[in-house]
């Protein structure tokens, strides 16, 4: 077991250290989940090195070595990334909904309940990711991104529209959706069906989902979508909107 853990950690370190660039081994995440977490869960009831394996819904949670609180939600079936057509099937698993339901793991690492508008989920484009297994980054939002979304809340409505400011140097479109959770909204399908041309080139898109309190005082979400622009140096890395170093969010209720 010690040897196995060393291999896992080496792979995870290499994955995190790749900095969003193509890693030499783009299958590290898949091997961790498929070769270790899932069989360990089924044989021993312990998903080590993952934190959780949900066989019924088909996903695992893995603490990323990058950041104090960052987790990754990873399907336990082979899905390469945002461009995978399986994500747009009528019966597709809503991995974003599962990630939001698992946000307490991030809060446990932070050490307090985090206000919903400081919690975020992100998936990078095909051009910005390091691994060829779909994974959703779960972490706190960057303070400057939080402030920008707060300042422009009135510009974000129930239909997709360009955000009037850039986020971490890149343009985004935004839409507000209602709901305590994402049970009725699949962000992959929301993007594919809502932005012209998106369905045909999902690999060039990035998605970020941020918890929100809407103008009517009800809970909801802001969904952000970006588009790769290599000429401008934008690889579609929505993960950059997250803060993997420190969670600047105040305690919930403050």
């Amino acid at each position: 077991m010690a040897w196995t853990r060393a291999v896992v950690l080496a792979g995870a370190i290499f994955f995190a250290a790749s900095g969003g660039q193509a890693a030499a081994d783009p299958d590290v995440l898949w091997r961790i989940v498929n070769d270790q977490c899932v069989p360990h869960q089924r044989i021993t009831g312990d998903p080590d090195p993952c934190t959780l394996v949900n066989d019924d819904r088909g996903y695992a949670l893995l603490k990323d070595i990058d950041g104090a609180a960052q987790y990754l939600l990873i399907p336990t079936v082979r899905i390469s990334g945002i461009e995978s057509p399986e994500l747009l099937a009528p019966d597709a698993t809503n991995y974003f909904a599962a990630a939001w339901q698992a946000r307490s793991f991030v809060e446990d690492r932070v050490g307090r309940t985090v206000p919903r508008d400081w919690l975020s989920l992100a998936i990078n484009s095909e051009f910005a990711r390091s691994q060829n297994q779909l994974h959703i980054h779960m972490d706190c939002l960057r303070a400057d991104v939080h402030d920008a979304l707060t300042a422009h809340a009135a510009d974000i409505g129930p239909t997709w529209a360009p955000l009037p400011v850039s986020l971490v140097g890149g343009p985004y479109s935004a839409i507000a959706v209602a709901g305590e959770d994402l049970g009725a909204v699949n962000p992959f399908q929301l993007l594919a069906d809502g932005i012209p041309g998106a369905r045909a080139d999902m690999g060039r898109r990035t998605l970020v989902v941020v918890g929100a309190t809407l103008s009517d005082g009800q809970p909801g979400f802001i969904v952000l979508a970006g588009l790769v622009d290599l000429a401008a140096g934008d690889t579609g890395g929505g993960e950059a909107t997250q803060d993997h170093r420190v969670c600047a969010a105040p305690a919930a209720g403050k």
Side-chain angles (χ1 to χ4, degrees), residues 8 29 32-33 36-38 41 46-55 57-64 69-76 95-106 108-109 121 134-139:
V8 168
L29 273 188
I32 290 172
V33 170
Q36 299 181 60
C37 301
V38 171
Q41 173 67 34
D46 180 357
D48 181 70
C50 289
T51 300
L52 173 74
V53 169
N54 187 320
D55 256 336
R57 298 184 66 185
Y59 69 83
L61 290 180
L62 177 68
K63 175 65 184 71
D64 197 306
Q70 181 186 192
Y71 276 85
L72 304 177
L73 183 137
I74 308 161
T76 56
Y95 293 110
F96 272 102
W100 182 256
Q101 290 176 344
R103 64 192 183 280
S104 62
F105 288 95
V106 172
D108 288 345
R109 287 279 179 168
L121 314 171
L134 185 141
H135 53 285
I136 294 175
H137 298 263
M138 306 161 53
D139 209 343

Side-chain angles (χ1 to χ4, degrees), residues 108-249:
D108 288 345
R109 287 279 179 168
V110 173
R112 61 185 183 277
T113 301
V114 178
R116 67 183 288 125
D117 60 332
W118 282 89
L119 288 167
S120 63
L121 314 171
I123 185 166
N124 294 328
S125 79
E126 190 174 3
F127 293 82
R129 68 180 185 232
S130 63
Q131 293 288 294
N132 288 331
Q133 173 65 12
L134 185 141
H135 53 285
I136 294 175
H137 298 263
M138 306 161 53
D139 209 343
C140 292
L141 196 64
R142 279 177 49 150
D144 58 332
V145 175
H146 175 271
D147 292 347
L149 295 179
T150 300
H152 292 276
D155 298 311
I156 304 171
T159 58
W160 284 105
L163 201 63
V165 293
S166 63
L167 301 176
V168 201
Y172 281 86
S173 293
I175 188 172
V177 296
E180 177 67 37
D181 56 36
L182 289 163
V185 177
N186 185 325
F188 291 115
Q189 295 173 347
L190 188 70
L191 169 61
D193 295 336
I195 295 183
R199 182 175 287 269
D201 68 348
M202 289 290 284
R204 296 178 64 236
R205 311 286 171 158
T206 183
L207 274 170
V208 181
V209 178
V210 182
T213 300
L214 304 182
S215 58
D216 60 2
Q218 297 302 306
F221 299 88
I222 294 172
V223 182
L224 303 167
L227 176 64
V228 170
D229 183 353
L230 297 180
D234 186 350
T235 59
E239 178 195 357
T241 62
Q242 298 178 320
D243 189 347
H244 298 326
R245 296 171 301 170
V246 60
C247 185

